[in-house]
Amino acid sequence: MSNLQNKNVLITGASTGIGRAIAVRFARDGANVGINYPDSPTAAQETADLAKAARAGSVGKELLLKADVSKEDEVEAMFQSFIASFGRIDILINNAGIQKDTPSHEVAMADFDHILGINLRGAFLCARAALRLFLKQGGGGVILNDSSVHQIIPKPEFIGYSVSKGGMGNLTRTLALEYAGRGIRVNAVGPGAVITPINKAWTNDPEAVKKVSNHIPLGRPAQPEEIASVFAFLASDDASYITGQTIFACGGLTLYPEFRENWSS
């Protein structure tokens, strides 16, 4: 039996992509899942249906939670709904994220603010709400942030995204250090190239997928389920001595793959 059995987990941005895969994986492992979505409930309900099917008849619950994570009042209302339904929270997964490609000198401040609002401000607002509940409940808790290889690798023409993920790395480390003595663990997962809707610019083009794959030491992009498995590990008691870390699930992208061939000496 998984040690995620009967845990209550809230996943932001869980209607598609990695967030959906996380919800399904945690449901399969016996957790009750809160599925946050920003607008239309249709995709979120699809996630809930997949999560329910993954339980294979075991007891558990899925809860749809509409909220724009960049807005403080909506985050507070979401957490209130979660607690009203589940009674307590054990795990928060900050997964919601967006990106937009624009040369940095042409970036509109509204776009920059919007990206940081969802990716970084939203992660902090949700982490703050979860921390308050963890401290009130007692017994500790787990916060996991969905970062990116671009936490440490620059991504030209995606300045808002890069800045938000760099900030998420420091958010993870700062909260981990601040709350380690309270039994609260904070970690992050840094995916590389993943077959998800946010990457539809290349995932729907076989030639583009081939080009992307050529840059990855393992030779292929990840499936969302592979990233979800890392979240499941970090949320579990198997990772009880890990805090303040970013685990890069990136197929080797953080290994400076251009150095696979000796061109520099």
Side-chain angles (χ1 to χ4, degrees):
M1 181 178 292
S2 167
N3 55 25
L4 295 176
Q5 189 79 25
N6 300 320
K7 297 291 187 180
N8 300 326
V9 55
L10 194 163
I11 308 156
T12 68
S15 54
T16 63
I18 293 173
R20 170 176 287 181
I22 293 169
V24 172
R25 172 58 187 262
F26 276 65
R28 192 193 82 183
D29 288 352
N32 300 306
V33 294
I35 299 165
N36 162 254
Y37 65 99
D39 37 53
S40 171
T42 303
Q45 184 60 54
E46 291 175 2
T47 297
D49 292 342
L50 290 168
K52 186 177 183 65
R55 295 185 188 281
S58 64
V59 177
K61 185 176 181 180
E62 297 78 36
L63 176 67
L64 301 189
L65 296 161
K66 182 179 180 181
D68 178 341
V69 297
S70 70
K71 297 181 179 178
E72 185 176 16
D73 59 339
E74 294 191 24
V75 168
E76 294 299 321
M78 174 175 68
F79 275 83
Q80 289 173 11
S81 297
F82 185 92
I83 295 300
S85 182
F86 292 135
R88 64 175 286 124
I89 182 170
D90 300 298
I91 302 160
L92 165 68
I93 299 179
N94 282 314
N95 168 76
I98 59 173
Q99 63 180 5
K100 183 176 182 180
D101 60 320
T102 310
S104 294
H105 67 284
E106 296 178 0
V107 170
M109 285 312 301
D111 290 337
F112 186 84
D113 291 343
H114 182 52
I115 293 167
L116 264 70
I118 299 293
N119 296 12
L120 188 55
R121 173 185 166 90
F124 170 70
L125 287 173
C126 291
R128 187 184 66 175
L131 286 165
R132 289 171 173 172
L133 289 168
F134 292 156
L135 295 173
K136 180 180 179 180
Q137 296 167 172
V142 174
I143 296 174
L144 300 177
N145 298 318
D146 191 355
S147 187
S148 167
V149 292
H150 299 295
Q151 177 178 309
I152 59 173
I153 298 174
K155 190 175 187 182
E157 299 192 357
F158 289 83
I159 188 67
Y161 185 81
S162 292
V163 168
S164 72
K165 296 306 182 179
M168 181 170 275
N170 210 325
L171 175 72
T172 299
R173 290 166 57 82
T174 299
L175 294 181
L177 183 59
E178 187 172 352
Y179 293 95
R182 314 276 189 101
I184 297 168
R185 296 190 299 107
V186 186
N187 289 296
V189 179
V194 186
I195 301 294
T196 62
I198 199 173
N199 291 321
K200 63 184 179 181
W202 57 268
T203 56
N204 295 328
D205 181 347
E207 286 302 312
V209 171
K210 183 178 179 181
K211 182 179 179 181
V212 168
S213 299
N214 287 339
H215 292 283
I216 302 170
L218 285 183
R220 62 175 180 83
Q223 294 297 325
E225 293 76 15
E226 294 178 288
I227 308 304
S229 68
V230 184
F231 280 95
F233 164 68
L234 287 174
S236 75
D237 291 341
D238 290 338
S240 60
Y241 204 58
I242 301 174
T243 197
Q245 306 304 308
T246 298
I247 306 300
F248 290 104
C250 63
L253 276 176
T254 53
L255 300 175
Y256 302 95
E258 295 305 316
F259 283 85
R260 283 177 288 183
E261 297 180 4
N262 185 7
W263 56 267
S264 61
S265 60

